[in-house]
Amino acid sequence: MKPKNVNPKNFKVENIVYNNGYFSIAYGIWENGNNHLVMRWNGESDKDPGYPKLFNNPVWFLLPEELKTPILTSLINLSDSDNTEILKALEKEIK
């Protein structure tokens, strides 16, 4: 499943920062209003919910707060990273 199509009600994706087709990392707003970094395995097709999933619905795995900035910075310039989206996420962290 494409990461842009994974939109559980408790998390709003703002930036897909890494996507190699099989695995994705995104930045967005959790239901508590805080920004978080999340990740997931995308699955084999648009009909495959990937992992994690809850009752066969695709969801994101929430990463610990202290890993957010180190992971974002380590993704810069990787072939499957979106540097523009990473920088947008990092700007929100600096504020």
Side-chain angles (χ1 to χ4, degrees):
M1 176 163 287
K2 292 181 178 141
K4 67 179 183 177
N5 295 333
V6 179
N7 295 301
K9 65 180 178 178
N10 61 353
F11 184 75
K12 180 184 182 302
V13 172
E14 292 190 338
N15 312 88
I16 303 291
V17 296
Y18 179 88
N19 181 17
N20 68 4
Y22 300 103
F23 181 79
S24 297
I25 302 173
Y27 181 86
I29 301 173
W30 195 253
E31 65 187 346
N32 63 7
N34 293 333
N35 292 322
H36 286 279
L37 198 61
V38 296
M39 62 174 61
R40 71 181 322 275
W41 295 99
N42 296 322
E44 298 291 323
S45 69
D46 283 339
K47 294 184 183 202
D48 181 352
Y51 186 82
K53 59 188 169 225
L54 182 62
F55 303 111
N56 212 36
N57 294 309
V59 294
W60 293 94
F61 176 83
L62 184 70
L63 293 167
E65 180 74 21
E66 62 271 14
L67 296 179
K68 195 174 3 177
T69 300
I71 290 174
L72 284 169
T73 56
S74 71
L75 292 173
I76 294 172
N77 291 329
L78 291 182
S79 61
D80 296 308
S81 294
D82 186 327
N83 288 338
T84 302
E85 296 300 316
I86 292 169
L87 293 174
K88 287 179 188 176
L90 284 169
E91 281 180 6
K92 293 174 188 170
E93 289 304 305
I94 294 170
K95 292 180 180 182

